[in-house]
Amino acid sequence: MNTAVPDPATTPVAHDRPIWAGRPGVRLYTITTAQPRALAKADAEASDRGNGAHVHQSVTDDLYVVVRPANEGEEGQP
């Protein structure tokens, strides 16, 4: 699976508490963009975790971040 990374200007902030459709997000995994095949590794993590997990790029941190929307009653995580 190859996840297209959205334009950073329109991507919800991944290094803080991201919000999707008014719901907080949960950070599941991060990997520096400098690592070989970093996006492929992040894609694999998102695929393995399922449940709406997907990859965002945090340009300010030079990271790919696997996140998913928080479930009802679940707090978002930084």
Side-chain angles (χ1 to χ4, degrees), residues 2 10 13 28 31 37 44 53 55 57 65 76-77:
N2 190 5
T10 60
V13 179
L28 304 172
I31 187 170
R37 299 187 35 81
V55 178
Q57 182 178 15
V65 182
Q77 297 176 357

Side-chain angles (χ1 to χ4, degrees), residues 30-78:
T30 60
I31 187 170
T32 178
T33 58
Q35 284 195 22
R37 299 187 35 81
L39 181 55
K41 291 174 183 177
D43 276 336
E45 285 289 329
S47 180
D48 289 347
R49 293 170 188 260
N51 202 20
H54 56 281
V55 178
H56 282 255
Q57 182 178 15
S58 177
V59 177
T60 57
D61 298 328
D62 290 329
L63 297 172
Y64 290 118
V65 182
V66 177
V67 294
R68 69 164 170 76
N71 295 321
E72 186 74 30
E74 182 179 31
E75 290 288 324
Q77 297 176 357

